[in-house]
């Protein structure tokens, strides 16, 4: 049997990673790196737990300039806070990802696209935020691109957790921008 996995988006920019699992193989990521999630064996109709993937590293920080974009950059932090406040988020089902690796990014994006991110003009264009032309590239790297890599790592982690545990995993972060393998196309 094979595994069917659907992930939408470019450089880790998927809202959720859901999978229909009928096997246990996948060549993307490293599911052995994540712990098994306890699932009751007592009832064949037991619904597997919903695993949440999130990191505070998802937060884009441009010294307050991020407030001028119509997208609520801090909504992911708010979602996790609300889930905790409502008692819906168990600590053992919350996983924090690492940044996606360059090798993983290159499975869906071209080297030319990655190289284009070293040019501030391109990053500003992809983000659709002309005001950021005043921000140094180093701040765009640490304040925007690094959080996006963490979010992408969250998508990979969610997919790997689904494969390993045959459960549902949701990456709270993601859905930031549209991309083709060789270019960015906006920021939502």
């Amino acid at each position: 049997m094979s595994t069917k996995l659907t992930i939408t988006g470019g450089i880790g920019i998927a809202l959720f990673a859901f999978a229909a699992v009928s096997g246990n193989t996948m060549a993307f990521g490293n599911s052995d790196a994540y712990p098994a999630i306890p699932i009751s064996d007592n009832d064949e109709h037991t619904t597997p737990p919903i695993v949440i993937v999130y990191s505070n590293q998802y937060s884009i920080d441009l010294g307050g300039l991020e407030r001028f974009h119509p997208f609520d950059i801090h909504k992911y932090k708010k979602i996790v806070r609300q889930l905790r406040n409502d008692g819906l988020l168990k600590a053992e089902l919350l996983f924090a990802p690492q940044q996606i690796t360059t090798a993983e990014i290159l499975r869906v994006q071209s080297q030319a696209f990655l190289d284009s991110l070293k040019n501030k003009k391109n990053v500003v264009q992809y983000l659709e935020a002309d005001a950021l032309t005043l921000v140094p590239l180093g701040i765009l790297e640490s304040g925007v691109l690094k959080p996006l890599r963490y979010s992408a790592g969250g998508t990979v982690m969610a997919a790997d957790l689904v494969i390993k545990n045959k459960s549902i995993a949701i990456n709270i972060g993601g859905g930031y921008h549209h991309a083709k393998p060789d270019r960015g196309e906006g920021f939502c």
Side-chain angles (χ1 to χ4, degrees), residues 26-186:
M26 183 177 159
F28 198 81
N30 181 11
S31 61
D32 293 334
Y34 310 118
I37 297 165
I39 300 174
S40 172
D41 293 331
N42 300 335
D43 183 358
E44 66 184 60
H45 302 291
T46 299
T47 303
I50 297 175
V51 178
I52 303 294
V53 178
Y54 169 76
S55 170
N56 286 330
Q57 297 291 329
Y58 290 1
S59 293
I60 290 176
D61 182 4
L62 293 171
L65 288 176
E66 67 275 6
R67 293 175 298 171
F68 295 107
H69 196 282
F71 187 86
D72 180 0
I73 299 302
H74 303 291
K75 73 180 180 179
Y76 304 123
K77 184 186 319 181
K78 293 173 184 176
I79 290 169
V80 170
R81 184 183 319 126
Q82 191 64 49
L83 289 171
R84 283 183 176 143
N85 290 344
D86 291 346
L88 298 173
L89 183 58
K90 296 179 182 177
E92 67 270 16
L93 298 178
L94 178 64
F95 292 84
Q98 298 296 313
Q99 289 185 61
I100 193 169
T101 67
T102 300
E104 289 169 322
I105 293 171
L106 288 171
R107 294 192 66 176
V108 293
Q109 307 289 169
S110 70
Q111 184 64 54
F113 176 70
L114 289 183
D115 292 343
S116 77
L117 297 175
K118 296 174 186 172
N119 180 316
K120 180 171 65 169
K121 177 182 166 195
N122 293 332
V123 174
V124 168
Q125 178 185 348
Y126 299 152
L127 296 175
E128 297 178 333
D130 292 339
L132 296 180
T133 57
L134 304 173
V135 176
L137 182 60
I139 293 175
L140 290 175
E141 163 61 35
S142 64
V144 177
L145 299 179
K146 183 177 176 183
L148 293 178
R149 287 191 300 270
Y150 268 96
S151 179
T155 298
V156 172
M157 180 184 222
D160 286 340
L161 286 166
V162 166
I163 297 301
K164 181 172 184 175
N165 295 288
K166 296 179 175 54
S167 63
I168 297 170
I170 300 171
N171 179 22
I172 294 293
Y176 285 114
H177 85 288
H178 311 286
K180 302 282 192 244
D182 60 344
R183 66 187 183 278
E185 291 189 338

